[in-house]
Amino acid sequence: MPDFLADIDRKKVVVRRDLHFATTPGAGRAATNVAPAHTINGKKFEDHIIDQAMLLGATEEWTLYNDIVNNGGGPAHPFHIHINPFQVTEILNPAVSKDPFTLPDPWVWWDNIAIPPAAIPPDAAKEDKDKLVSGYIKFLSRFVDYTGAYVLHCHILGHEDRGMMQLVQVISNTTTVGHH
Ligand SMILES: [Cu+2]
């Protein structure tokens, strides 16, 4: 195993981020003809707007949620980010269990993974039998080598093209300002 593929050191996490993926169903082909909306953290993609900025070399932990919308679970959103792969450490798939699954190390490197939809866990406690729970994915990533802008997005074309995408920018961790 080459050194650069060694597991990310959790103790080096400097930033934690939560990203919420949400699909609001449309009104279909009814007279109103409202298109579904696909958002991340409540907004659609906007060109030139940087949604996530980080320093080169930073280690971060991200949690991606598949939100409950209109008392329902949406589709699974296959999350994809360019440039740097990530290591998934924890998954909550509420269609399977109310308890998250912790992945044993050594972890797998991913560049695409589905965020499980919200569901009522089959093993929910009696008082939670009608409570939807958001699915989530937790991962560690390092922003190595590359400075500049790129994107993360849902890999379902109809979702990303309707706005389920964000601009990411990795910023140099050195300064060009000298001392006098
Ligand atoms: Cu999607």
Side-chain angles (χ1 to χ4, degrees), residues 21 23 38 75-78 154-156 159-160 164:
F21 290 69
T23 288
H38 307 281
H77 296 293
C154 173
H155 227 307
I156 295 174
H159 293 184
E160 65 176 275
M164 196 170 251

Side-chain angles (χ1 to χ4, degrees), residues 101-122:
F101 179 71
T102 304
L103 283 83
D105 59 19
W107 296 307
V108 173
W109 290 95
W110 304 76
D111 74 351
N112 202 322
I113 191 166
I115 315 164
I120 297 170

Side-chain angles (χ1 to χ4, degrees), residues 23-171:
T23 288
T24 310
R29 287 169 173 75
T32 46
N33 210 21
V34 178
H38 307 281
T39 57
I40 301 174
N41 288 350
K43 65 181 274 290
K44 295 181 185 180
F45 179 83
E46 280 180 88
D47 201 8
H48 308 298
I49 303 289
I50 303 295
D51 299 288
Q52 311 291 343
M54 59 282 293
L55 282 179
L56 186 67
T59 297
E60 300 199 2
E61 183 182 68
W62 291 24
T63 309
L64 315 174
Y65 294 91
N66 195 329
D67 277 0
I68 301 161
V69 178
N70 297 344
N71 296 316
H77 296 293
F79 169 82
H80 176 55
I81 185 165
H82 293 194
I83 314 288
N84 298 290
F86 50 88
Q87 293 193 299
V88 176
T89 59
E90 195 177 308
I91 300 176
L92 178 64
N93 183 355
V96 174
S97 174
K98 63 178 167 42
D99 300 315
F101 179 71
T102 304
L103 283 83
D105 59 19
W107 296 307
V108 173
W109 290 95
W110 304 76
D111 74 351
N112 202 322
I113 191 166
I115 315 164
I120 297 170
D123 55 353
K126 228 181 216 141
E127 63 273 21
D128 296 330
K129 280 292 180 215
D130 52 358
K131 252 189 220 146
L132 279 161
V133 173
S134 284
Y136 70 74
I137 297 285
K138 212 180 261 291
F139 70 70
L140 299 169
S141 192
R142 283 185 307 222
F143 297 87
V144 293
D145 299 327
Y146 179 83
T147 50
Y150 54 95
V151 292
L152 64 84
H153 58 88
C154 173
H155 227 307
I156 295 174
L157 200 61
H159 293 184
E160 65 176 275
D161 282 358
R162 291 189 172 97
M164 196 170 251
M165 179 153 73
Q166 287 195 333
L167 266 177
V168 174
Q169 184 159 15
V170 179
I171 292 159

